[in-house]
């Protein structure tokens, strides 16, 4: 079981690392992210137009962060680290969406480019010309989260090592 955990961590860490270098690649995990993204629009709609548009990206990243927090509370650092890696991948996915705001070339569920969340968000904030810079900030935070996720995962594996358990 211990070696399967190592294998799971290596796989997930490599997958997320791949996303840093090929962020436009759509993964199976992105379908899960999409469900939470769309639910975020509904949950944040009562807080106004800006929050409704932001709600998708917020929920897409918040759900795995909350899962990581629950696992950490249960003292399962390994699972917490893996879900932090999921949050990292989700944040990389959001950065692609942000970067696309000016061109609006990504395929959307609605097929209507005027429903592009980040185009609307940055128009409301009068920051459309800064979409690349804002996306780079998201990637920077994703990288920091990636390092933290690896740290948490390795701690979880170290403390779960067979030679360390009594």
């Amino acid at each position: 079981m211990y070696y399967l955990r190592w294998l799971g961590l290596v796989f997930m860490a490599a997958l997320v690392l791949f996303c840093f270098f090929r962020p436009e690649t759509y993964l199976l995990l992105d379908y899960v992210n999409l469900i939470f993204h769309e639910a975020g629009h509904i949950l944040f709609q009562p807080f106004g137009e800006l929050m409704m548009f932001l709600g998708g990206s917020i929920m897409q990243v918040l759900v795995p962060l909350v899962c990581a927090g629950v696992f950490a509370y249960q003292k399962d650092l390994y699972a917490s680290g893996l879900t932090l890696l999921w949050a990292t991948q989700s944040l990389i996915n959001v950065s692609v969406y942000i970067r696309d705001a000016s061109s609006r070339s990504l395929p959307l569920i609605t097929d209507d480019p005027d429903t592009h969340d980040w185009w609307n968000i940055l128009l409301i904030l009068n920051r459309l010309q800064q979409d690349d810079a804002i996306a780079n900030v998201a990637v920077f935070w994703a990288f920091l989260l990636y390092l933290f996720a690896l740290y948490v995962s390795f701690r979880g594996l170290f403390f779960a090592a067979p030679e360390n358990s009594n």
Side-chain angles (χ1 to χ4, degrees), residues 117-153:
D117 296 342
W118 281 95
W119 178 72
N120 282 290
I121 292 164
L122 296 177
L123 272 181
I124 291 168
L125 298 175
N126 196 26
R127 297 283 183 252
L128 189 57
Q129 67 281 5
Q130 297 171 333
D131 60 348
D132 279 334
I134 294 167
N136 288 339
V137 169
V139 171
F140 172 76
W141 282 104
F143 181 71
L144 292 179
L145 185 57
Y146 181 73
L147 295 177
F148 182 67
L150 290 177
Y151 169 76
V152 170
S153 297

Side-chain angles (χ1 to χ4, degrees), residues 68-83:
V70 169
F71 285 126
Y73 178 76
Q74 295 173 344
K75 304 209 183 327
D76 187 346
L77 292 181
Y78 172 78
S80 182
L82 286 187
T83 51

Side-chain angles (χ1 to χ4, degrees), residues 38-128:
E38 294 305 322
H41 293 308
I42 295 165
L43 291 172
F44 282 82
Q45 192 172 17
F47 304 106
E49 186 181 45
L50 177 62
M51 288 307 297
M52 187 269 302
F53 285 120
L54 275 169
S57 296
I58 290 170
M59 282 297 290
Q60 175 178 337
V61 177
L62 186 62
V63 167
L65 289 175
V66 168
C67 291
V70 169
F71 285 126
Y73 178 76
Q74 295 173 344
K75 304 209 183 327
D76 187 346
L77 292 181
Y78 172 78
S80 182
L82 286 187
T83 51
L84 287 171
L85 287 170
W86 171 23
T88 302
Q89 185 275 337
S90 190
L91 188 54
I92 294 168
N93 182 265
V94 169
S95 78
V96 172
Y97 202 15
I98 297 169
R99 196 175 308 282
D100 184 63
S102 293
S103 65
R104 295 183 289 166
S105 59
L106 286 175
L108 303 176
I109 292 176
T110 62
D111 287 330
D112 179 4
D114 289 346
T115 62
H116 192 293
D117 296 342
W118 281 95
W119 178 72
N120 282 290
I121 292 164
L122 296 177
L123 272 181
I124 291 168
L125 298 175
N126 196 26
R127 297 283 183 252
L128 189 57

